[in-house]
């Protein structure tokens, strides 16, 4: 809903969006047909929320980031297999001590207003990211930088005091045009953010009708070639049911389905004739987090008992209709640092009760747990407007009741939820999700130094060994060393259970069948967007280009 | 007449002052006052916001000075900057949204008039007939059905199954490339469902009001006299009763403004119409105080204007008031 | 007003009401849902909050006469318990609105003067704000608990009642029986509550009946916006809202709550109009 689609984006948000522009993949017609790629047609996508601005440095919602990705580029990006590759940077090298990165920039890249792109723009973007006047949530990575220099228009040298592994990814941020933004002390207040952005990306901005639509047009001079699809229109449709009807009636060509729509409402002949569904595991997971200084949850055995009491399979069946996977830690299965051999908590109510008994809880005659005259009752908080989370809460409520724990559910509007309860630590437990990315550094979530009101370790997790490992993991570029550190972190988190790691939902995009060239890969589907096309004969919007 | 309008305008002044005072107090009664609300929402810019808010509300001034400033800003429709991430001027946001909401409201009000008045008259003339009963149940159904449910049912029928009408939005993508007539047709097709729904919902109030006015007038002596003079019923109804029954209906026009505005929240959300109702709802969800206050005040203004127009219309139609 | 007179007046009232078929039909619907909400367990043996992920979105069957919802809960049970919540919202909200409206109206009408002028201007100002906007704005800063919703709907809905009661009071206070009571040494409070109040109740009852309908609708609209009664507590509004996302696939999830709201609101309206006509033909057209 409706609703402002705010995400707490931990790591750079360029991971797995439905947009973004990636390099050539072998293009082949889907469904066995071999039509030639053709220029033209428009792709109309549905979005719950409107954009709030076009400069991704100063926005934090997914709609705005999606729009920015059409218009802007970073120095680097993830390819289809989640390897970093150059975008505005042609190549780069990391000094052996890991403290210096030299980027060589592409030549002949032009801003949409035909001004050439140079290293001055990169310098400018960096300065804006560390400028206290820039209200950005993504400045942290750039505060680690000691110095940035640009000896010539196509070289940028970044130096760090200490090696900083997430550095590479951080240079995937959208590079901003210096010549247009210089005169604005706060880039958030600039017309580039508010009304007409100008970037280097595959699409040019055409118009924004607030609350209605945003229109983009293929950039004929894009440095990787003109995208096939001539126009992209993002239509703002707040209601999920309305959006689905728009899809079926042809008003939009693409949307993200809910698990329920994917599994139950799209299984008709009619639907299959017109649409193609995709599913892939995105970089996000949902968890039940405990406030660790809460008298009940201080005891590790209680947290472990709750993990045993929760049936993740039932959650995935009931909430996601099977369209997701169990998680055992903060990395999804298949991630390069994913550790499959950590302590697991199979659904086992008897064991849960035993662990609770060990922690001093006694089962009373009415089936509830009690300790020192206190009933085991607590409240879980979650945000409104997220159906999966409220369903998850309802199912967990029932599962915990079976072991004598009474869990109340409070659903709150996002702003109130974050500001009144999460930041002020006024919760017993909460159900939330993290959207992460390929970069495994999760210092901000697990470090004991990140427990302040505006910081992300809101459960108050503090473990000296994890602190050491987090620091070690981000201070080396050696993949093996990093992997070892993150493997160990997962073991500790699995043992400690500061969260019950619940599940990773699959992303469920659906497209009109005329759109070809979509090839799901580890990075999702958006990586080769500029190579998507509609065969000439099937183009729908022929006069609208 | 001018004197009447002038007097009527003077009467709205205390209301305007009341509206401003009430909204001023509301901001200041919010837990912690305007600053805390702002600071809560923008942790990253707390100090800057605090400063800006202090300046905006003049919080360093005594309270009556603060109110004076608020009044001044309201008079120029300056509600400050939205707390939303885009940080745009509230007045600018409202300005770009208000025409849509007003258009739909005026159209649906027109529809209500067109349908409700004959319906009410005929129901009154044929009191307790089957027509009366069926129309009673029908108009109340319009009021009773949850708007968003009926909206979706109509979308499925006309948009998906029959394919006659677009589902949502205000214009189609190709709108700009259409001819003038094409543009009008395109817009009309998009407006059918929202206007129909808003109209259906408001039918009950107006038609029942018309019906009972009519009943009252019919019972009056002069109608009986007219009938006794041997005039045909049709003539009695149209020449004598209707004019007198219609007059008070004009006033209900003004009264229905706030209801229609409130309903806009629902149908603008379900039909994805970028109007003021949707904007207000987004403001509410993100606790955007300046936006909420701005729209509340504007909504109250519109109601006042509606009432004023209704009273003036009434005066124009009724010579007794005009003279007084 | 002697007891016998009141009794026969009441019989008259019922007789007039019974002649109005629409009002009788409306009353029957109201009564049916009232019983449903009073003894929901009679209508469904299922626990309205019992989740069964193996039985999600099952169409109506012998075991689940109205089918199951997106978490496999019995829709009939949720509808029956939801009736209780929805009607409670309606009644409590209207109770609050009526009390405030009565007090303000009685006070304003009885004492007149400056207090009356100030109160009625306040009513005018409140009426300028679109009620639904006000409700949303208040709930935005509080929490959408069922109590807050009832209070907010009540506190923003009393203005009509107060105007009605004030007008009645103005005419009643000039009547002989008030003068008689005063002559017998009755104080203001006694006159207001013993003599004037009972005589204003008929129009208030009509307004309250219509108000219940309005409050039920308002709750469903709030639920659609996600700030009504919060799940898992069932209300017709939030069952319908959950149903709308499955409107084509699982029709039973939206049709039943949709019809329940429609019929109830319709019922209260028809009954309210019927009462108005039956109580006192004089009130027609107000």
């Amino acid at each position: 809903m409706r609703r402002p689609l705010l995400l707490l984006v931990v790591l750079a948000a360029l991971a797995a969006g439905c947009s973004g522009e990636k390099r050539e993949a072998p293009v082949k017609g889907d469904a066995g047909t071999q039509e030639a790629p053709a220029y033209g047609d428009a792709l109309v996508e549905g979005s719950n929320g409107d954009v709030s601005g076009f400069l991704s440095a100063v926005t934090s919602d997914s709609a705005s980031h999606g729009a920015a990705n059409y218009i802007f580029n970073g120095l680097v990006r993830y390819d289809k297999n989640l390897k970093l590759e150059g975008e505005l940077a042609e190549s780069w090298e990391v000094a052996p001590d890991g403290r210096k990165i030299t980027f060589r920039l592409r030549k002949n890249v032009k801003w949409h207003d035909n001004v050439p792109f140079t290293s001055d723009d990169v310098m400018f973007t960096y300065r804006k990211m560390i400028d206290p006047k820039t209200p950005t949530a993504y400045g942290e990575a750039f505060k680690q930088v000691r110095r940035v220099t640009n000896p010539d228009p196509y070289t940028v040298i970044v130096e760090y005091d200490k090696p900083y592994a997430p550095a590479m990814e951080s240079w995937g941020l959208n590079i901003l045009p210096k010549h247009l933004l210089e005169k604005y002390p706060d880039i958030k207040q600039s017309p580039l953010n508010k009304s007409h952005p100008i970037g280097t990306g595959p699409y040019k901005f055409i118009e924004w009708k607030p609350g209605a639509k945003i229109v983009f047009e293929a950039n004929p001079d894009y440095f990787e070639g003109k995208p096939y699809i001539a126009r992209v229109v993002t239509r703002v449709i707040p209601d999920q049911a309305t959006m689905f009807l728009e899809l079926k009636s042809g008003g939009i060509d693409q949307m993200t389905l809910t698990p329920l729509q994917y599994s139950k409402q799209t299984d008709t002949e009619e639907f299959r004739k017109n649409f193609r569904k995709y599913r892939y595991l995105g970089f996000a997971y949902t968890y039940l987090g405990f406030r660790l200084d809460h008298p009940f949850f201080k005891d590790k055995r209680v947290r472990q008992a709750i993990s045993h009491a929760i049936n993740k399979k039932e959650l995935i069946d009931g909430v996601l209709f099977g369209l997701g996977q169990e998680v055992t830690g903060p990395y999804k299965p298949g991630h390069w640092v994913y550790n499959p051999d950590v302590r697991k908590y199979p659904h086992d109510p008897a064991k849960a009760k035993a662990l609770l008994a060990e922690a001093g809880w006694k089962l009373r005659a009415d089936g509830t747990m009690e300790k020192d005259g206190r009933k085991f009752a607590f409240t879980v908080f979650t945000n409104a407007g997220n159906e999966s989370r409220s369903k998850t809460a309802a199912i967990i409520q029932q599962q915990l009741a079976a072991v004598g724990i009474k869990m109340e559910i409070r659903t709150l509007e996002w702003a109130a939820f974050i500001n009144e309860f999460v930041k002020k630590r006024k919760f017993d437990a909460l159900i939330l999700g993290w959207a992460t990315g390929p970069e495994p550094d999760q210092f901000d979530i697990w470090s004991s130094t990140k427990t302040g009101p505006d910081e992300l370790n809101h459960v108050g997790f503090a473990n000296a060994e994890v602190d050491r490992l987090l620091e070690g993991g981000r201070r080396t570029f050696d993949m093996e060393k990093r992997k070892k550190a993150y493997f160990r972190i997962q073991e500790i988190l699995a043992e400690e259970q500061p969260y019950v790691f619940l599940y990773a939902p699959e992303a469920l995009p659906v497209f009109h069948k005329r759109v070809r060239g979509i090839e799901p890969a580890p990075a999702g589907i958006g990586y080769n967007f500029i190579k998507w096309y509609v065969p000439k004969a099937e183009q729908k919007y022929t006069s609208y280009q | 007449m001018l004197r009447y309008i002038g007097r009527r305008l003077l009467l709205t002044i205390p209301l305007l002052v009341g509206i401003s005072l009430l909204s001023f107090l509301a901001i200041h009664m919010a837990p912690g006052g305007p600053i805390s609300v702002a600071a809560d929402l923008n942790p990253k810019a707390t100090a800057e916001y605090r400063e800006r808010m202090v300046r905006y509300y003049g919080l360093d001034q005594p309270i009556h000075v603060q109110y004076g400033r608020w009044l001044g800003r309201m008079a120029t429709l300056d509600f400050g900057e939205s707390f939303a991430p885009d940080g745009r001027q509230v007045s600018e946001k409202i300005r770009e949204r208000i025409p849509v909401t007003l258009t739909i409201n005026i159209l649906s009000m027109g529809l209500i008039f067109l349908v409700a008045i004959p319906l009410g008259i005929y129901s009154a003339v044929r009191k307790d007939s089957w027509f009366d009963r069926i129309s009673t149940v029908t108009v109340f159904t319009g009021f009773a059905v949850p708007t968003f449910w009926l909206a979706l049912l109509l979308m499925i029928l006309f948009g998906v199954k029959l394919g006659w009408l677009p589902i949502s939005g205000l214009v189609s993508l190709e709108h700009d490339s259409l001819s003038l007539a094409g543009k009008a047709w395109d817009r009309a097709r998009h407006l059918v469902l929202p206007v129909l729904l808003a109209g259906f919902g408001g039918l009950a109030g107006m038609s029942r009001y018309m019906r009972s006015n009519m009943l009252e007038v019919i019972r009056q002596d002069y109608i009986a006299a007219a009938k006794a003079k041997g005039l045909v019923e049709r003539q009695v109804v149209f020449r004598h009763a209707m004019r007198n029954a219609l007059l008070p209906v004009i006033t209900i026009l003004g009264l229905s403004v706030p209801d229609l505005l409130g309903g806009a929240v629902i149908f603008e959300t379900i039909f994805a119409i970028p109007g003021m109702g949707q904007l207000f709802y987004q403001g509410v969800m993100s606790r955007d105080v300046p936006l909420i206050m701005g729209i509340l005040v504007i909504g109250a203004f519109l109601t006042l204007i509606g009432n004023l127009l209704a009273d003036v219309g009434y005066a124009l139609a009724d010579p007794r008031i005009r003279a007084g | 007003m002697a007891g016998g007179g009141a009794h026969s007046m009441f019989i008259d009232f019922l007789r007039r009401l019974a002649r109005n078929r629409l009002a009788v039909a409306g009353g029957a619907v109201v009564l049916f849902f009232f019983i449903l909400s009073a003894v929901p367990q009679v209508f469904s043996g299922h626990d309205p909050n019992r989740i069964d992920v193996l039985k999600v979105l099952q169409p109506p069957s012998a075991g689940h006469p109205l089918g199951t919802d997106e978490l496999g809960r019995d829709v009939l049970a949720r509808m029956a318990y939801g009736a209780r919540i929805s009607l409670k919202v309606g009644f409590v909200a209207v109770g609050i609105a009526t009390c405030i409206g009565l007090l303000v109206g009685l006070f304003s009408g009885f004492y007149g003067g400056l207090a009356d002028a100030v109160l009625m201007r306040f009513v005018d100002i409140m009426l300028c704000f679109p009620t639904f906007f006000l409700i949303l704005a208040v709930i935005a800063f509080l929490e959408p608990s069922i109590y807050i919703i009832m209070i907010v709907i009540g506190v923003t809905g009393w203005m009509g009642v107060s105007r009605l009661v004030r007008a009645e009071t103005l005419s009643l206070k000039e009547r002989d029986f008030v003068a008689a009571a005063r002559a017998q040494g009755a104080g203001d409070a006694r006159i207001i509550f013993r003599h004037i109040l009972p005589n204003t109740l008929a129009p208030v009852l009509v307004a309250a009946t219509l108000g219940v309908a309005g409050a039920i609708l308002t709750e469903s609209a709030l639920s659609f916006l996600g700030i009504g009664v919060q799940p898992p507590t069932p209300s017709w509004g939030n069952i319908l809202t959950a149903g709308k996302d499955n409107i084509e696939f699982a029709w039973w999830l939206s049709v039943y709550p949709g019809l329940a709201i429609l019929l109830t609101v319709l019922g209260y309206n028809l009954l309210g109009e019927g009462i108005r006509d039956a109580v006192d033909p004089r009130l027609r057209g107000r």
Side-chain angles (χ1 to χ4, degrees):
Chain A
M1 169 172 122
R2 80 149 175 76
R3 284 130 246 218
L5 235 170
L6 293 162
L7 290 176
L8 268 190
V9 184
V10 192
L11 306 168
L14 41 68
C18 278
S19 42
E21 51 303 310
K22 306 288 157 168
R23 71 143 193 241
E24 296 93 317
V27 177
K28 65 166 193 284
D30 286 30
T33 47
Q34 291 284 336
E35 298 96 343
Y39 292 97
D41 209 354
L43 178 72
V44 187
E45 47 181 30
S47 166
N48 289 117
D50 200 356
V51 299
S52 61
F54 294 99
L55 302 184
S56 59
V58 290
T59 59
S60 56
D61 56 288
S62 58
S64 301
H65 282 212
N69 279 345
Y70 287 121
I71 303 165
F72 293 97
N73 296 114
L75 293 184
V76 297
R77 69 180 168 206
Y78 285 106
D79 72 2
K80 63 189 287 191
N81 295 314
L82 297 172
K83 290 259 183 322
L84 281 165
E85 63 175 9
E87 191 166 66
L88 287 172
E90 214 163 44
S91 64
W92 67 87
E93 64 220 32
V94 181
D97 66 357
R99 288 169 27 191
K100 187 166 116 185
I101 309 171
T102 308
F103 290 102
R104 305 213 184 283
L105 306 185
R106 274 179 196 260
K107 299 179 175 94
N108 306 322
V109 175
K110 287 205 167 110
W111 295 98
H112 295 159
D113 61 356
N114 270 329
V115 173
F117 155 79
T118 68
S119 57
D120 279 346
D121 296 311
V122 182
M123 295 294 292
F124 173 77
T125 305
Y126 162 71
R127 272 189 234 111
K128 281 294 167 190
M129 290 308 285
I130 55 166
D131 185 344
K133 284 201 211 59
T134 307
T136 180
Y138 314 107
E140 186 59 30
F142 301 95
K143 295 202 178 104
Q144 306 273 342
V145 174
R146 184 161 61 117
R147 195 158 66 117
V148 183
T149 46
N150 57 333
D152 67 70
Y154 299 104
T155 308
V156 175
I157 300 168
V158 189
E159 288 165 83
Y160 293 83
D161 285 327
K162 288 183 261 180
Y164 182 59
M168 276 318 299
E169 186 190 72
S170 72
W171 290 100
L173 95 154
N174 291 162
I175 300 299
L176 306 170
K178 180 185 181 200
H179 67 287
L180 294 170
L181 280 167
E182 257 173 332
K183 53 179 178 285
Y184 301 99
D186 177 358
I187 56 170
K188 192 173 175 180
Q189 303 302 328
S190 68
L192 255 72
N193 186 45
K194 291 180 154 192
S195 52
H196 41 273
I198 287 179
T200 51
Y203 283 84
K204 290 181 179 182
F205 170 83
I206 299 290
E207 66 165 340
W208 176 29
K209 293 242 166 84
K213 64 177 177 183
I214 308 116
V215 183
F216 308 92
E217 188 180 63
N219 174 8
D221 305 320
Y222 187 51
F223 57 82
E224 292 182 306
K226 182 186 175 184
Y228 286 117
I229 292 178
R231 279 200 175 204
V232 175
V233 181
T234 307
R235 276 190 59 189
V236 183
I237 303 172
D239 187 77
Q240 182 74 21
T242 306
M243 199 192 286
F244 190 58
L245 293 178
E246 275 286 11
L247 180 80
K248 289 182 36 167
S249 73
I252 58 173
D253 301 317
Q254 186 253 311
M255 68 179 280
T256 301
L257 295 172
T258 63
L260 205 142
Q261 285 166 339
Y262 187 100
S263 61
K264 304 270 182 192
Q265 302 178 10
T266 52
D267 234 5
T268 60
E269 201 53 46
E270 179 77 15
F271 197 88
R272 273 193 295 269
K273 210 171 75 198
N274 291 317
F275 300 99
R276 203 170 283 132
K277 301 187 279 186
Y278 298 88
R279 50 184 284 198
Y280 59 89
L281 208 55
F283 282 92
Y285 68 92
T286 300
Y287 63 87
L288 167 69
F290 305 106
R291 182 164 61 81
L292 295 170
D293 56 4
H294 186 282
F296 297 173
F297 303 130
K298 259 195 292 206
D299 192 326
K300 179 169 93 181
R301 288 165 298 190
V302 171
R303 306 193 299 264
Q304 291 173 334
I306 289 177
S307 294
H308 275 300
I310 289 174
N311 182 349
K312 295 182 191 173
K313 171 95 173 40
E314 193 175 80
L315 287 174
I316 291 166
D317 287 345
V319 178
L320 302 176
F321 297 91
L323 300 164
Q325 286 190 29
E326 285 182 28
V327 287
T328 53
Y331 304 107
K332 71 174 181 180
H335 193 289
W336 65 276
V337 299
Y338 172 70
N339 181 350
D341 299 315
V342 297
R343 178 167 174 183
K344 306 254 181 9
Y345 296 86
H347 181 227
D348 188 347
K351 185 139 190 212
K353 281 184 194 163
L355 276 164
L356 284 173
E358 225 177 275
W361 292 89
K362 290 186 185 61
L363 200 58
R364 295 198 311 186
D366 65 352
T368 59
M369 285 284 176
E370 188 195 67
K371 183 182 173 181
D372 309 330
R374 276 185 80 181
K375 252 176 86 168
F376 201 140
F378 70 99
T379 305
V380 73
F381 289 78
T382 192
N383 63 305
N386 187 318
E387 210 201 327
S388 302
R389 285 187 198 152
S390 52
K391 282 164 94 173
T392 300
I395 295 175
I396 290 179
Q397 181 179 49
Q398 182 162 310
Q399 291 171 348
L400 292 189
V403 296
I405 297 175
K406 186 172 161 49
M407 183 179 94
E408 298 276 359
I409 301 169
R410 268 175 88 180
T411 323
L412 292 149
E413 257 333 301
W414 183 258
F417 175 51
I418 295 298
N419 293 313
E420 305 295 325
F421 295 92
V422 176
K423 281 184 183 161
K424 295 183 181 161
R425 307 289 181 258
K426 283 201 286 193
F427 59 87
D428 303 337
L430 40 76
I431 293 176
L432 255 182
W434 286 124
T436 59
E439 167 55 47
D441 178 41
Q442 294 195 353
F443 190 85
D444 290 337
I445 301 178
W446 302 112
S447 166
S448 63
T449 62
K450 291 288 181 183
T451 54
D454 289 330
E455 292 174 321
L456 302 178
N457 184 358
H458 37 241
V459 295
F461 181 72
N463 180 301
E465 191 185 353
V466 169
D467 281 351
R468 263 199 319 279
L469 291 162
L470 284 167
E471 185 62 20
R474 72 199 317 210
R475 293 297 172 212
T476 174
F477 282 84
D478 184 329
M479 299 272 275
E480 274 315 304
K481 278 193 195 148
R482 296 194 80 194
K483 197 167 162 176
K484 251 173 95 178
Y486 295 115
F487 261 52
R488 179 68 191 135
I489 288 175
Q490 288 170 76
E491 281 170 21
I492 299 169
L493 290 177
E495 174 65 25
E496 292 291 327
Q497 292 289 299
Y499 294 172
V500 180
F501 298 92
L502 298 171
Y503 55 77
E506 287 181 18
L508 305 169
V510 61
F511 286 86
H512 192 273
K513 223 167 185 172
R514 70 179 197 280
V515 183
R516 307 293 160 81
I518 304 169
E519 289 165 2
I525 54 169
Y527 65 93
N528 69 338
F529 185 80
I530 63 167
K531 294 295 168 196
W532 296 0
Y533 66 95
V534 179
K536 203 86 208 164
E538 293 178 45
Q539 295 193 353
K540 180 178 172 188
Y541 297 99
T542 46
S543 63
Y544 178 66
Q545 281 172 24
Chain B
M1 189 62 210
L2 278 177
R3 251 183 57 206
Y4 171 75
I5 295 178
R7 221 176 44 216
R8 188 61 188 72
L9 274 174
L10 278 180
L11 277 176
T12 57
I13 290 175
L15 287 184
L16 279 174
V17 172
I19 289 168
S20 69
L21 190 63
L22 211 63
S23 49
F24 176 77
L25 289 178
I27 306 176
H28 284 258
M29 273 170 5
I35 289 192
S36 124
V37 177
D40 272 358
L41 275 163
N42 277 285
K44 294 203 184 295
T46 305
E48 182 217 358
Y49 252 83
R50 187 166 278 273
E51 197 182 314
R52 205 193 294 172
M53 282 296 131
V54 165
R55 241 183 301 121
Y56 181 78
Y57 289 102
L59 290 182
D60 40 353
Q61 309 283 322
I63 191 116
H64 63 272
V65 177
Q66 290 182 37
Y67 174 64
R69 290 187 175 188
W70 165 245
L71 205 61
R73 276 197 313 273
M74 252 183 57
T76 55
L77 296 182
D78 170 13
F79 302 106
E81 277 170 22
S82 159
F83 288 171
D86 58 19
R88 294 165 63 211
Q89 288 290 323
V90 168
S91 51
E92 184 189 321
K93 284 184 148 189
I94 295 177
R95 200 179 318 126
E96 76 195 8
R97 303 275 190 137
I98 211 166
V100 178
T101 304
L102 282 184
T103 309
I104 294 178
N105 275 332
I106 290 170
L107 286 174
S108 52
M109 230 188 264
L111 183 73
I112 292 173
F113 261 82
L114 275 180
V115 179
I117 288 173
L119 209 64
I121 293 174
Y122 201 70
S123 289
V125 175
R126 296 269 174 274
K127 186 173 176 293
D128 296 332
S129 67
W130 276 107
F131 177 85
D132 182 27
R133 292 211 185 98
I134 290 171
S135 80
T136 302
V137 173
T138 311
V139 297
F140 277 129
T141 302
F143 171 75
V145 67
T147 323
F148 64 94
W149 182 48
L150 185 61
L152 283 171
L153 292 175
L154 293 178
M155 281 182 201
I156 292 173
L157 179 63
F158 292 110
V160 180
K161 299 268 187 270
L162 296 172
W164 293 351
L165 294 171
I167 304 267
S168 69
L170 270 183
V171 292
S172 22
L173 293 179
E174 301 97 326
H175 186 78
D176 289 337
S177 61
L178 296 172
S179 66
L180 201 63
K183 276 183 184 159
W185 175 239
D186 182 50
R187 207 167 259 276
R189 275 162 42 87
H190 280 83
L191 285 175
V192 171
L193 287 182
V195 169
L196 213 63
L197 263 166
F200 191 35
L203 216 50
M206 183 72 78
S207 74
R208 299 306 286 174
Y209 191 73
M210 189 67 210
R211 177 179 178 271
S212 48
N213 272 343
M214 197 68 191
L215 284 175
E216 200 133 300
V217 172
I218 287 175
R219 275 204 307 272
Q220 304 281 327
D221 294 343
Y222 66 93
I223 298 288
K227 267 191 183 168
K229 274 196 293 185
L231 289 175
V232 200
E233 192 182 351
R234 257 179 82 93
Q235 283 175 317
V236 176
V237 167
F238 284 103
R239 203 164 294 162
H240 298 269
M242 204 174 93
R243 187 166 354 130
N244 286 304
L246 258 177
L247 271 178
V249 169
I250 299 176
T251 50
I252 210 171
L253 187 148
L255 293 176
S256 57
V257 173
D259 283 346
L260 283 170
L261 282 181
V265 177
I266 304 293
F267 65 75
E268 285 178 5
T269 302
I270 195 102
F271 284 111
I273 292 171
M276 207 168 71
Q278 205 195 82
L279 185 67
F280 186 74
Y281 173 55
Q282 284 159 359
V284 161
M285 287 296 116
S286 52
R287 298 190 171 194
D288 187 343
V289 183
L291 185 69
I292 294 174
M293 294 320 302
I295 295 184
L296 272 180
V297 169
I298 294 276
F301 279 174
L302 287 178
T303 310
L304 268 182
I305 293 171
N307 287 340
L308 195 68
L309 286 179
D311 283 359
V312 171
Y314 192 93
L316 282 174
D318 189 339
R320 282 168 299 181
I321 297 182
R322 203 163 28 192
Chain C
M1 301 168 88
H7 185 250
S8 72
M9 267 171 65
F10 186 64
I11 297 283
D12 269 2
F13 160 75
L14 281 185
R15 200 169 287 147
R16 279 197 297 271
L17 190 62
R19 270 205 299 271
N20 185 337
R21 286 191 221 172
L22 288 181
V24 171
V29 171
V30 167
L31 190 68
F32 170 75
F33 283 111
F34 202 78
I35 294 171
L36 183 70
S37 69
V39 283
Q41 58 278 12
V42 173
F43 291 83
S44 173
H46 292 279
D47 174 347
N49 289 322
R50 174 79 210 170
I51 293 166
D52 186 346
V53 297
L54 300 176
K55 284 190 176 175
V56 165
L57 294 174
Q58 289 191 344
S61 63
H64 299 283
L66 303 187
T68 62
D69 75 355
E70 73 282 0
L71 281 172
R73 297 172 294 202
D74 182 62
V75 174
L76 176 58
R78 289 186 73 72
M79 287 290 301
Y81 285 89
R84 180 178 282 185
I85 302 290
S86 290
L87 293 181
K88 194 159 135 194
V89 169
F91 276 94
V92 176
V94 166
I96 293 170
T98 307
C99 286
I100 302 177
L102 268 175
L103 287 178
V104 171
L106 285 169
F107 188 84
S108 200
F110 189 79
Y111 291 104
L114 185 65
D116 177 40
V118 170
L119 281 173
M120 285 304 114
R121 284 303 78 70
F122 183 63
V123 167
D124 288 344
I125 293 165
M126 284 291 285
L127 281 172
C128 280
F129 291 104
T131 315
F132 196 62
F133 279 18
L134 275 185
I135 293 174
L136 283 182
V138 176
I139 291 181
F141 289 94
L142 305 169
E143 213 184 294
S145 81
I146 175 167
Y147 302 102
I148 297 286
I149 289 167
M150 295 188 297
I151 292 170
V152 172
I153 296 179
V155 167
T156 52
W158 54 272
M159 291 83 77
V161 177
S162 76
R163 278 186 166 178
L164 212 65
V165 172
R166 174 178 173 272
E168 287 291 308
T169 309
L170 277 179
S171 75
L172 285 168
K173 76 174 179 186
E174 305 299 336
R175 300 266 284 274
D176 294 344
F177 65 88
V178 172
R182 197 178 289 284
Q184 283 168 15
D188 285 355
R190 189 176 164 83
I191 292 175
I192 292 176
F193 290 105
R194 281 299 299 270
H195 299 281
I196 296 182
L197 176 68
N199 287 294
T200 62
L201 284 182
V204 170
L205 178 68
V206 174
T209 312
L210 302 179
V212 171
I216 291 173
L217 271 181
T218 304
E219 192 280 322
S220 80
L222 289 174
S223 275
F224 165 69
L225 297 175
I227 50 179
V229 174
Q230 293 301 304
T233 306
S235 79
W236 289 345
N238 66 33
I239 301 172
L240 180 59
T241 301
K244 90 180 158 61
D245 292 331
N246 304 300
I247 189 161
E248 287 178 286
F249 169 71
W251 56 268
W252 57 93
L253 251 183
S254 51
V255 166
Y256 294 121
L259 282 180
I261 294 172
L262 186 136
L263 288 176
T264 305
V265 174
L266 190 61
Y268 275 96
N269 271 298
L270 293 176
L271 182 65
E273 285 234 326
I275 294 176
R276 164 158 54 200
D277 289 352
V279 161
D280 188 351
R282 188 173 58 90
L283 284 169
R284 266 172 196 278
R286 288 270 172 90

